[in-house]
C-alpha cells in the first residue's frame, strides 16, 4: 500500500493550504469589476473580482475541468495565463511541471481574479454544458460501488467520447454547507445520448461519494457538467493494454462497449482488472461474455488478497505484478502498444513504471488520474 500514501498526503496538505489562503484573502480584499480576455479577444467578460478564476468562469457558463471540485489537489484545472499575475503559489507548485511553469500554466482554482487578465483555454471547453438530469436507477455492483444511471432532462442529449468524464454537482446536505463538484468517468456508451451511467465507489468521509451512497435516491434531480477529458481510444492499430481497479472500471467499460458496437473486432485488447478479493469484483461474467463476442479481447481479473472462501483460481497478486508477467510472457512484444489506465494515482504511477520497463512508450500511455 506504500505507493498510495505520498500522493494522498500531498493532496491533503495542498487542500488545507489552499483553504487558508482563500479565507485570508476574502477577509482583507475587495477588487471591484475586472475584465477577462479569453483566447486573444474571442470572448471578453466583465466580472466582479475577488473569486478564483475557476469559479468566475463557471459563473459565466465556461466550465474548466476540476476533478477535485476546486480544492487544489488534482491539478486538472490548468489554464494558460498571458498576463502578469504574480509568482506561482505554493498550492500550485507541486501540481505543475517545470515546462508548464515556464509557459504560464496556472491552476484556475488557486489564482484569484484581482485585475484585468488574459487567458487561453482549449476551444472545446466552450462546448461543455451543465445538464439537468433525473436519477433513473441506482444499483449495488459490490459492497462499496454503485452504478448510477441518469436520464438527461435539459439539454436532453449529450455528445461525448468513450472514456471521458463529467462532474457531478453535489448539493448541500447534512453538515455539508456548500455545493461542490467531483469528477467521475462515464461508464455508458456514447450511442445512448439521452442517458449517462457512472460507477461510484464509497470513499469514507468523501463528500460526493457519501451523498451518492447514503442520500441520493431514484427519481431525484442532479445536475452535472461535462463532458471533459482526453482519455479516449486513439484511432490506431496498436495493441491496447488496459488496467483498472475499483470504479476505474467505468471508462474502460465504455471504451470496450463502444468498440463492440462499432464492430472493431480486429484490434487486440488486454484488460487487467485488479481487486482485493472476490467481493470487490464485478462485471466479470459480462466481460467473459464479451470475450466470446470480441475475438481479440482478453479479460484478466486478478485478486491481490483472495479470501479462502473465494476459491479463486484466477490470477493473484498486485495488478502491477500480473501486468508485468503478461507483458513479458504473453503480449506480443513486436507490436506497437498503447496503455489505457484508470485508478488511484498510486496504482497508475506503478503501472506506468511497469509499462515503461517493458518498452512501452510513455507518450502512448493514457490515463485519468483522479485525486
Amino acid at each position: 500500500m506504500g505507493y498510495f500514501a505520498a500522493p494522498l498526503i500531498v493532496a491533503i496538505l495542498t487542500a488545507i493550504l489552499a483553504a487558508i489562503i482563500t479565507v485570508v484573502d476574502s477577509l482583507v480584499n475587495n477588487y471591484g469589476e475586472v475584465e477577462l480576455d479569453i483566447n486573444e479577444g474571442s470572448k471578453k467578460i466583465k466580472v466582479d473580482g475577488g473569486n478564483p478564476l475557476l469559479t468566475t468562469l463557471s459563473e459565466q457558463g465556461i466550465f474548466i475541468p476540476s476533478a477535485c471540485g476546486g480544492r487544489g489537489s488534482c491539478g486538472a484545472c490548468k489554464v494558460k495565463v498571458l498576463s502578469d499575475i504574480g509568482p506561482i503559489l505554493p498550492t500550485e507548485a507541486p501540481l505543475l511541471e517545470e515546462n508548464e511553469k515556464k509557459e504560464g500554466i496556472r491552476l484556475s482554482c488557486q489564482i484569484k481574479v484581482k485585475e484585468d487578465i488574459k487567458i487561453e483555454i482549449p476551444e472545446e471547453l466552450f462546448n461543455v454544458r451543465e445538464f439537468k438530469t433525473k436519477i433513473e436507477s441506482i444499483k449495488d455492483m459490490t459492497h462499496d460501488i454503485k452504478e448510477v444511471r441518469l436520464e438527461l432532462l435539459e439539454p436532453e442529449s449529450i455528445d461525448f467520447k468513450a472514456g471521458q468524464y463529467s462532474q457531478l454537482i453535489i448539493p448541500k446536505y447534512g453538515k455539508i454547507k456548500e455545493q461542490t463538484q467531483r469528477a467521475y468517468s462515464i461508464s455508458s456508451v456514447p450511442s445512448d445520448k439521452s442517458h449517462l451511467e457512472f460507477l461510484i465507489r464509497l470513499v469514507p468521509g468523501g463528500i460526493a461519494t457519501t451523498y451518492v451512497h447514503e442520500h441520493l435516491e431514484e427519481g431525484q434531480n442532479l445536475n452535472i457538467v461535462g463532458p471533459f477529458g482526453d482519455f479516449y481510444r486513439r484511432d490506431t492499430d496498436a495493441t491496447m493494454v488496459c488496467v483498472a481497479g475499483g470504479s476505474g472500471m467505468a471508462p474502460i467499460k465504455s471504451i470496450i462497449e463502444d468498440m463492440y458496437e462499432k464492430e472493431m473486432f480486429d484490434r487486440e485488447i488486454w484488460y487487467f482488472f485488479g481487486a482485493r478479493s472476490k467481493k470487490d469484483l464485478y462485471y466479470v461474467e459480462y466481460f467473459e461474455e464479451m470475450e466470446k463476442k470480441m475475438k481479440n479481447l482478453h479479460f484478466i481479473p486478478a485478486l491481490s488478497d483472495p479470501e479462502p472462501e473465494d476459491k479463486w483460481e484466477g490470477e493473484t497478486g498486485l495488478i502491477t505484478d500480473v501486468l508485468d508477467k503478461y507483458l513479458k510472457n504473453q503480449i506480443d512484444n513486436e507490436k506497437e502498444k498503447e496503455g489505457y489506465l484508470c485508478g488511484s494515482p498510486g496504482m497508475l504511477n506503478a503501472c506506468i513504471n511497469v509499462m515503461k520497463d517493458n518498452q512501452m512508450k510513455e507518450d502512448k500511455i493514457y490515463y485519468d488520474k483522479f485525486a
Side-chain angles (χ1 to χ4, degrees), residues 1 141-145 201 244-246 249 273-284 299 301-319:
M1 297 296 290
M141 306 307 294
T142 71
H143 63 101
D144 64 352
I145 294 177
R201 183 177 68 86
M249 165 78 74
F273 184 76
R276 185 170 184 177
S277 64
K278 202 169 182 179
K279 70 176 183 178
D280 301 303
L281 284 178
Y282 62 114
Y283 274 123
V284 173
F299 177 57
L303 300 184
S304 62
D305 191 18
E307 301 289 347
E309 59 267 25
D310 289 343
K311 298 180 180 179
W312 181 249
E313 297 180 354
E315 295 289 346
T316 58
L318 293 176
I319 196 64

Side-chain angles (χ1 to χ4, degrees), residues 10 20 64 115 140 158 180 221 277 288 304-305 327 337:
V10 171
I20 293 172
I64 307 297
E115 56 190 345
D140 288 322
I158 185 172
T180 189
N221 290 335
S277 64
E288 288 175 347
S304 62
D305 191 18
L327 283 171
K337 293 183 285 292

Side-chain angles (χ1 to χ4, degrees), residues 200-342:
I200 300 178
R201 183 177 68 86
L202 178 63
V203 177
I207 294 173
T209 65
T210 298
Y211 178 77
V212 169
H213 278 252
E214 299 181 8
H215 298 270
L216 192 63
E217 297 180 353
E218 294 177 358
Q220 284 184 217
N221 290 335
L222 184 72
N223 285 13
I224 67 167
V225 175
F228 296 107
D230 54 9
F231 181 69
Y232 51 82
R233 174 185 53 80
R234 269 52 181 182
D235 191 16
T236 71
D237 295 325
T239 296
M240 297 173 64
V241 182
C242 308
V243 187
S247 57
M249 165 78 74
I252 308 299
K253 175 177 175 289
S254 178
I255 288 171
I256 293 175
E257 281 187 349
D258 183 56
M259 294 177 70
Y260 173 72
E261 285 190 354
K262 294 175 178 176
E263 299 184 353
M264 302 177 67
F265 302 141
D266 292 332
R267 191 167 180 182
E268 191 165 18
I269 308 167
W270 292 82
Y271 179 18
F272 299 88
F273 184 76
R276 185 170 184 177
S277 64
K278 202 169 182 179
K279 70 176 183 178
D280 301 303
L281 284 178
Y282 62 114
Y283 274 123
V284 173
E285 292 181 0
Y286 172 83
F287 277 104
E288 288 175 347
E289 286 300 312
M290 288 292 282
E291 282 184 298
K292 298 174 184 177
K293 299 174 183 178
M294 301 179 72
K295 62 180 181 180
N296 287 318
L297 170 63
H298 313 276
F299 177 57
I300 316 293
L303 300 184
S304 62
D305 191 18
E307 301 289 347
E309 59 267 25
D310 289 343
K311 298 180 180 179
W312 181 249
E313 297 180 354
E315 295 289 346
T316 58
L318 293 176
I319 196 64
T320 46
D321 294 335
V322 176
L323 172 65
D324 185 57
K325 181 176 76 172
Y326 275 77
L327 283 171
K328 284 181 166 61
N329 303 311
Q330 297 280 343
I331 301 175
D332 188 352
N333 283 324
E334 299 300 318
K335 289 188 65 177
E336 188 77 17
K337 293 183 285 292
E338 294 173 351
Y340 294 85
L341 317 175
C342 190

Side-chain angles (χ1 to χ4, degrees), residues 11 25 84 95 103 115 123 127 138 153 240 259 309 345 365:
D25 187 76
D84 182 5
L95 298 169
E103 294 170 3
E115 56 190 345
E123 289 290 333
N127 297 321
I138 302 175
L153 301 179
M240 297 173 64
M259 294 177 70
E309 59 267 25
I365 301 173

Side-chain angles (χ1 to χ4, degrees), residues 91-133:
T91 51
E92 299 177 272
L95 298 169
L96 296 173
E97 303 292 340
E98 288 304 315
N99 64 306
E100 291 178 327
K101 295 175 184 178
K102 294 176 182 177
E103 294 170 3
I105 304 300
R106 305 292 295 266
L107 297 187
S108 62
C109 71
Q110 296 304 299
I111 57 175
K112 290 291 188 69
V113 181
K114 302 177 180 179
E115 56 190 345
D116 293 352
I117 183 173
K118 295 182 179 181
I119 64 171
E120 285 185 2
I121 62 174
E123 289 290 333
E124 59 264 27
L125 290 182
F126 289 119
N127 297 321
V128 173
R129 295 287 182 267
E130 182 171 343
F131 294 81
K132 181 179 179 181
T133 78

